[in-house]
Amino acid sequence: MPERADHETAAILLMLLDEEEAAAIVERLDPAEIERVGGAMFALHDVDEHRVAVALDCFVQSAKDCSTMTSEVSGHLSGVMTRALGGDRAPAMLERIIPEAMADPLPTLKWLSVDDLVSLCATEHPQFTALLIANLAPAAAAAVIARMDDADQADILYRAATLGPVSAQAFADADALLANHIGAGKAGRAEVNAGAPAIAAILNHVPRALDLRMMRALGKLDRPLAQRIDDDRVVFDDLLGLSDKDLGTLCRTTDATEMTLALKGVTDAQRERIFATMSARAADTMRDAIAEQGPTKLADVQAAQRAIIILAKSLSDSGAIQLGKGDGDYV
């Protein structure tokens, strides 16, 4: 079922409950879920019996495949361990029990608005701000960075890109501060989401003028780091935004074996976009080659895509194509 339909179904079911029952459900949702379901509730107008029946059927069908215990395990386990071992020993034990993929380093962070974050970052140490930026969703981080003083922006991005390992206690202290700021939340732990890829993702969401200014400033602070960030700003999907002429130039310049390998990691529609710039014979030959490859290591596909990205940037620097990403000027 489409995600939008899921939200409408949830909205209808919540509207059938009284306020207290609905509130008990809503308080268990993440902020993004509350926003989507709340928007669906607001958009509801006249709901006929058929739509209600469909919503109930969807709920019953979904409930058959869900365990009511699953969503409660993590919170219950945390409570049990804290009561049994105390606040000092429980976090270390939970870190050994709970899989790293399930860990949320700053669970309270998602409840802060951009306004909250801008206000908080204005009064905290830059290193604390960098920790928040590194763990925010890229779009939210970009919104916060854009509202900082010009003199602080590059420094915060540099600190976020160069963050080292962060201890569980440091995350717990940071989340406690966030909890005090908004009045909710609990401590957590995980590895920080830092480094050049994270900063590249943030810069992909800021206006181009700010993007270029930040890359120049980062280049003055650390030229190799700025280059790594710039490399990560261009992804293989960006190449599909080239004009037909430029994409054709890139395809003709790229080794056919390398392009065949790179196309194993894209959708059929993306492949057809590239095939459309080739001759019919060349496109058919590449389709056959892809079909004959069989299972391919993801690392090999990514390496081929990276090689083509490097070639595209080289062609862009020489003026052969117009890539439209990065300016190559960090001095």
Side-chain angles (χ1 to χ4, degrees), residues 196-275:
I199 303 309
I202 292 171
L203 290 176
N204 280 338
H205 286 77
V206 303
R208 179 162 176 77
L210 177 59
D211 176 16
L212 296 179
R213 180 156 53 84
M214 288 300 93
M215 288 304 299
R216 291 190 184 98
L218 286 169
K220 292 178 181 179
L221 291 171
D222 189 328
R223 185 183 179 89
L225 173 63
Q227 187 59 59
R228 293 198 301 274
I229 292 173
D230 188 51
D231 289 341
D232 283 314
R233 286 193 303 160
V234 181
V235 296
F236 193 75
D237 286 357
D238 293 328
L239 303 182
L240 302 178
L242 292 170
S243 67
D244 289 346
K245 177 182 177 181
D246 286 347
L247 187 55
T249 298
L250 176 61
C251 290
R252 289 191 297 273
T253 310
T254 303
D255 178 77
T257 301
E258 202 155 59
M259 180 64 79
T260 300
L261 185 57
L263 292 183
K264 285 284 288 186
V266 303
T267 65
D268 290 341
Q270 290 172 324
R271 289 175 189 165
E272 292 304 319
R273 167 79 175 92
I274 292 177
F275 292 155

Side-chain angles (χ1 to χ4, degrees), residues 97-153:
I97 295 173
I98 299 176
E100 184 176 347
M102 294 177 60
D104 186 355
L106 297 171
T108 306
L109 185 59
K110 60 180 175 286
W111 292 98
L112 276 76
S113 67
V114 171
D115 288 340
D116 290 334
L117 290 166
V118 170
S119 175
L120 180 62
C121 291
T123 60
E124 293 299 325
H125 191 280
Q127 198 69 8
F128 178 82
T129 299
L131 181 66
L132 299 187
I133 290 298
N135 283 276
L136 278 170
V144 174
I145 288 291
R147 291 174 57 179
M148 290 181 179
D149 291 338
D150 292 354
D152 298 331
Q153 291 169 329

Side-chain angles (χ1 to χ4, degrees), residues 6-26:
D6 287 342
H7 297 145
E8 182 178 289
T9 296
I12 292 173
L13 294 175
L14 287 172
M15 293 297 287
L16 295 176
L17 302 174
D18 61 38
E19 289 186 5
E20 185 176 349
E21 293 172 328
I25 294 174
V26 170

